[in-house]
Amino acid sequence: MTTPTNEWESLMQAVAGPDKIILVGFKNDSLKYLTGKTLAEVAAMRNLSPEETAMDLVVQDGSRVGTIYFLMSEDNVKKQIKLPYMSFGSDAGSYSIEGVFLKSSYHPRAFGNFARVLGKYVREEKVIPLEEAIYKLTTLPANNLKIKKEEP
């Protein structure tokens, strides 16, 4: 986590520190109170280094522990949105908003990716017009993935 290398991706180095990593996904109920805290905060609470804390959390939770990394430059995002070939998507899972699923936290892109495009970048900041956003949210990704409309 602390040694620069080209052999693997160090997200801690990419975000420039543990204060830019928010913990969101715990399976173990005894750790869920840490949801929403940064890795830096939890490390300070435990009087451990962020690296030791990250490893301890993975072991204690028996999972990868869901995280949010603040990696992207807002100016770069706006530049990318304007590119004619750029389409939108999400690598988040699909989750129910009811029942047992409410007991866990998920990365915001599982619910807010498309809403953010329409609300922030179309309505509020007017980075692209609504029609272009709809195209980039629907037709363009379908074309990129070669998804064809079935004829009746």
Side-chain angles (χ1 to χ4, degrees):
M1 286 182 248
T2 60
T3 304
T5 180
N6 291 331
E7 294 181 29
W8 55 276
E9 181 180 41
S10 174
L11 292 174
M12 185 159 344
Q13 288 184 9
V15 298
D19 58 320
K20 302 272 195 252
I21 302 171
I22 295 180
L23 307 172
V24 293
F26 293 99
K27 293 181 180 177
N28 186 330
D29 287 338
S30 70
L31 296 173
K32 289 188 179 187
Y33 75 98
L34 299 173
T35 299
K37 296 188 181 328
T38 67
L39 180 58
E41 290 172 319
V42 176
M45 289 167 54
R46 293 177 169 216
N47 294 314
L48 295 171
S49 72
E51 297 80 14
E52 289 174 300
T53 301
M55 290 184 282
D56 285 353
L57 290 172
V58 167
V59 170
Q60 291 168 355
D61 199 49
S63 78
R64 295 179 59 191
V65 178
T67 53
I68 299 170
Y69 297 92
F70 290 88
L71 291 163
M72 296 167 45
S73 152
E74 191 64 28
D75 289 338
N76 191 40
V77 169
K78 290 177 190 176
K79 287 177 188 174
Q80 299 295 316
I81 287 172
K82 292 178 184 179
L83 295 172
Y85 53 83
M86 204 288 299
S87 64
F88 298 105
S90 176
D91 61 352
S94 297
Y95 305 100
S96 174
I97 57 169
E98 57 189 38
V100 70
F101 298 100
L102 292 175
K103 295 181 179 179
S104 296
S105 294
Y106 304 101
H107 194 288
R109 72 176 161 250
F111 299 103
N113 190 47
F114 290 50
R116 184 169 179 86
V117 169
L118 296 172
K120 179 178 177 63
Y121 298 114
V122 172
R123 185 183 61 230
E124 295 171 15
E125 299 189 12
K126 300 185 184 350
V127 176
I128 58 173
L130 177 61
E131 297 80 8
E132 185 177 348
I134 298 298
Y135 169 73
K136 290 180 171 207
L137 287 163
T138 59
T139 305
L140 184 56
N143 289 344
N144 290 341
L145 295 169
K146 304 205 181 335
I147 298 172
K148 305 252 186 232
K149 180 180 178 182
E150 263 190 52
E151 298 299 323

